[in-house]
Amino acid sequence: MKRRTLLAQTGLGATALTAAATVKVAAQAPVSSPSQPAIRWRMATAFPKSLDIMFSTIESLCQQVSDMTGGKFVITPYPVGDIAPAAKVLDTVTEGTTECGCTISLYYTDRIPALGFTGGIPFGLNAQQQNAWLFYGGGLEATQKIYRTLGLINYPAGNIGGQMGGWFRREIETVDDLKGLKIRIAGLGGSLLKRLGAEVQILGPDEILPALVAEKIEAVEFLGPYDDEKLGLHKATRYYYSPSWWEPGASNELLINLNQWQTLPQDYQTILQLAATEAHHKLLARYTAANSAALERLLANGVQLKTFSPEFVQATYQAAVAMYEELASQDPQFREVYQPWKAFRSKIHKWNRVNEMGFATFAFNAGN
């Protein structure tokens, strides 16, 4: 009875109901039977425990799976570095060292650029649009096709939402200021900055502050105020920029070894999808609630809030479009995801101009 209640209340909470995947599987979600096997998995993650919202949401995902199977399916998450560094979580799961992992695809776009669409790309979709694309716009099916070639299956497991544009030791006014800039940034945002002359490094969360202190880098793109404060980035840099045009709606993923996935009983598969979907929406809600207060604390500690100039954003937008068109012309896998994604973005932008833009512009400027 307890498992049945959890399936009804936990997997079908208000946040999870917003996703098609949850609605579809929850309506027929089986309850784990006493005869089901006991299974123990390990999960490598790309995140340290110090990022408490991120890591506790992953722990909650794993706890949901245990609760809904009566303790028979147990997944133990490990912080970054315990099993693998951030950039190697995918390999760990592909090779079967662990059965699953929680990471963000931005660490792997140097190998497969099309994976950037799940993690977030420059001038891409915001959080709500990203969820619409993944669950209702064919995004999950398109990216699962790519991951299957790697022996994996993926599910969204944490929408991070709107972020910040990063930390800089000197002011950024034009794209020329990017030339020679030593910056930590992953994904296609990193590829774009390389094209604009920056010296890009891909570092895991646990590696960023030491690199800043040692002056191996002079700028950092990471997440939002809450996690950036947790990492102590304000202690080593001065200027905090917005907006985050390189990842407007980033999402984490649950990666599962395909062979291990196929050995799971069907109800275990359903339960794991339910737990991942709830974690996906819960993470967005938690960050949305926490980032405002964290930004206020940072500003009170002397951080200087800056905004990228319209000229800078326009120049980087044009460079991003050129990069995507070039990738689409050269990489069939990228083109297969990009063309329908671009059409989806065009349609949803038309709708959001009507239903959101006018009100948001007024509300944000109206004050309290």
Side-chain angles (χ1 to χ4, degrees):
M1 184 66 183
K2 178 181 178 182
R3 290 192 296 272
R4 187 175 292 108
T5 301
L6 282 164
L7 281 168
Q9 295 180 349
T10 310
L12 299 181
T15 54
L17 274 170
T18 61
T22 303
V23 173
K24 289 178 181 177
V25 298
Q28 53 189 5
V31 177
S32 177
S33 69
S35 62
Q36 292 287 27
I39 295 176
R40 299 291 183 269
W41 277 11
R42 297 193 305 160
M43 175 191 288
T45 80
F47 314 105
K49 285 189 175 181
S50 60
L51 301 183
D52 56 341
I53 287 181
M54 185 82 74
F55 200 82
S56 66
T57 301
I58 295 171
E59 289 178 317
S60 177
L61 184 163
C62 297
Q63 188 62 50
Q64 292 276 41
V65 171
S66 177
D67 289 345
M68 287 192 282
T69 60
K72 287 196 169 185
F73 186 10
V74 176
I75 303 174
T76 303
Y78 292 84
V80 63
D82 278 18
I83 295 177
K88 294 292 184 181
V89 171
L90 181 148
D91 303 283
T92 299
V93 182
T94 299
E95 294 163 3
T97 304
T98 63
E99 293 82 5
C100 62
C102 189
T103 184
I104 190 164
S105 67
L106 305 183
Y107 289 117
Y108 315 109
T109 56
D110 57 333
R111 309 183 215 174
I112 305 176
L115 291 181
F117 289 98
T118 62
I121 67 172
F123 300 98
L125 305 174
N126 66 23
Q128 185 170 324
Q129 294 165 347
Q130 179 79 351
N131 285 342
W133 177 70
L134 285 169
F135 291 110
Y136 284 99
L140 183 56
E141 293 83 355
T143 56
Q144 283 183 339
K145 182 177 179 180
I146 297 172
Y147 275 116
R148 280 184 177 273
T149 68
L150 304 175
L152 302 170
I153 189 168
N154 62 302
Y155 290 100
N159 191 310
I160 298 167
Q163 304 179 54
M164 290 292 289
W167 297 86
F168 297 82
R169 284 194 168 141
R170 53 185 169 86
E171 294 186 66
I172 303 296
E173 296 179 356
T174 71
V175 290
D176 288 338
D177 293 325
L178 296 174
K179 294 178 180 178
L181 181 73
K182 298 177 181 178
I183 182 171
R184 181 273 178 198
I185 179 173
L188 292 180
S191 300
L192 179 61
L193 292 196
K194 279 184 183 178
R195 288 172 172 243
L196 296 173
E199 297 179 19
V200 171
Q201 296 187 37
I202 300 176
L203 302 173
D206 53 326
E207 302 172 292
I208 296 174
L209 186 58
L212 268 174
V213 172
E215 298 187 352
K216 294 180 180 179
I217 56 175
E218 54 188 321
V220 173
E221 177 280 327
F222 189 54
L223 291 177
Y226 186 86
D227 280 349
D228 291 356
E229 182 187 36
K230 286 287 184 179
L231 290 186
L233 302 183
H234 59 293
K235 299 175 182 178
T237 50
R238 182 179 183 184
Y239 301 112
Y240 201 23
Y241 272 82
S242 71
S244 174
W245 48 265
W246 32 57
E247 295 164 30
S251 297
N252 295 336
E253 292 182 290
L254 173 65
L255 299 182
I256 306 166
N257 182 283
L258 190 55
N259 290 332
Q260 293 292 334
W261 172 256
Q262 291 169 341
T263 65
L264 287 178
Q266 185 176 359
D267 58 343
Y268 284 15
Q269 292 180 349
T270 297
I271 286 166
L272 186 50
Q273 290 178 64
L274 281 168
T277 301
E278 180 167 347
H280 184 72
H281 297 287
K282 183 184 290 183
L283 188 68
L284 176 60
R286 294 183 70 185
Y287 275 133
T288 301
N291 275 325
S292 177
L295 180 59
E296 290 181 5
R297 291 192 298 269
L298 290 171
L299 297 179
N301 283 324
V303 169
Q304 294 190 34
L305 192 61
K306 296 285 184 177
T307 303
F308 291 122
S309 71
E311 294 78 15
F312 177 88
V313 176
Q314 181 63 32
T316 52
Y317 171 74
Q318 291 174 346
V321 171
M323 180 177 72
Y324 299 150
E325 294 299 326
E326 181 180 318
L327 284 169
S329 69
Q330 298 173 352
D331 182 345
Q333 201 171 50
F334 185 90
R335 182 170 59 252
E336 187 174 353
V337 181
Y338 174 62
Q339 295 296 353
W341 174 91
K342 185 168 65 169
F344 178 89
R345 183 184 62 170
S346 178
K347 290 180 180 179
I348 205 164
H349 278 182
K350 290 177 182 177
W351 164 234
N352 287 163
R353 287 190 196 103
V354 173
N355 79 315
E356 289 192 5
M357 188 173 178
F359 173 76
T361 301
F362 171 80
F364 294 157
N365 292 323
N368 297 324

